[in-house]
Amino acid sequence: MKPYTIGFIGLGLIGGSIAKAIRRVHPDFRIIACDQSRSNLIAALSDGTLNETHDTLSEAFGSCDIIFLCAPVSINIEYLTLLKPIISENCIVTDVGSVKTTIHQASESIGMSHCFIGGHPMAGSEKTGFQNASDRLIENVYYLLTPSQNVAKEKYDQLRALILSISAIPVTLDYREHDRITAAISHLPHIIAYALVNLVRLADNSDQIMRRLAAGGFKDITRIASSSPIMWQQICEENAPQIQNILHTYIDSLKEISEAIDAHDDAFLLEHFSLARDYRNDIPASHTKSVLSSIHEIYVDIIDESGAIATIATILATNGISIKNIGIVHNREFQEGALRIEFYENEAMLKAIDLLRRFHYVVHERN
């Protein structure tokens, strides 16, 4: 791959992670960026990620072969208009947003569909900013690409090759299909999690007994409600039509369940729950990194006796395995195992599973 000049508009978590990955794999590339945060630019210049920084969009971006738009979707659309008189005919413009329709429509309306390829790396973290960027964040994650119909195959192949080179997994979709899919598997689950947490918050009593008892399965299935409220408010606005479609379908399905419970329709409920269980169990292990950091945890059966937890902690510590968190699970309605152990990384978890089983502990892995 010949050396490219790559531009980044916005250098937060995702933009910074892509830039770092490109720098690691392609040290001869020239990488420039502009960002509202001077601290992001200074940090990226200091650690060698960037060759050049700019406080605002400048003529320097006219030399870019590929430009990544890494701001919120509405701001990325504004930058499209600003880039049009600057970029060369061969330049590729892409973005990293989780909603594609609005920016594709904007690229068509201003005559930039020939150079625009939508992009969406399905990765993230609850942390933000360049200081939390990692050159491995998008490694082995699905990187959705939504090329405009007017984009030449050579440009698409060029961007796809770059994505492959930094070890992401490119998947090509129509931009409308992208928004329909993400509405169902990402946007709606977040809305449900927020709604469910608020439902319990409002239903709780003054002693907050629900909050105390929710530390088990409820907290686990609503984990994504800890992600950025601002980001999800923006996504609901940007992908409103698709979210509304899938949300109404979901509401209808809840009504069906409610009616079946009222009618004591056990056959419907059994089939409904069985189909969901089977489909969920067939979902393959994830290639993506969630918008929240991955949880590396196991559950261990232990006897309620003095020193039981200390014994396990000692076994792990003497074998060089660091524990992030450990504690008794008081609500085991959704999870086997009395002791929950969380690790900093997947490798440590796998080593702990093997080690504890060799000491004849019963270990339950997270599903």
Side-chain angles (χ1 to χ4, degrees), residues 292-320:
L292 296 177
S293 299
S294 298
I295 290 181
H296 311 292
E297 63 180 20
I298 59 175
Y299 295 82
V300 183
D301 289 342
I302 61 170
I303 300 172
D304 184 9
E305 62 182 14
S306 178
I309 297 177
T311 300
I312 289 178
T314 300
I315 291 172
L316 298 177
T318 54
N319 284 274

Side-chain angles (χ1 to χ4, degrees), residues 201-212:
R201 176 180 62 83
L202 294 171
D204 209 352
N205 60 21
S206 59
D207 294 331
Q208 296 195 322
I209 187 67
M210 287 187 180
R211 181 181 179 187
R212 193 189 323 164

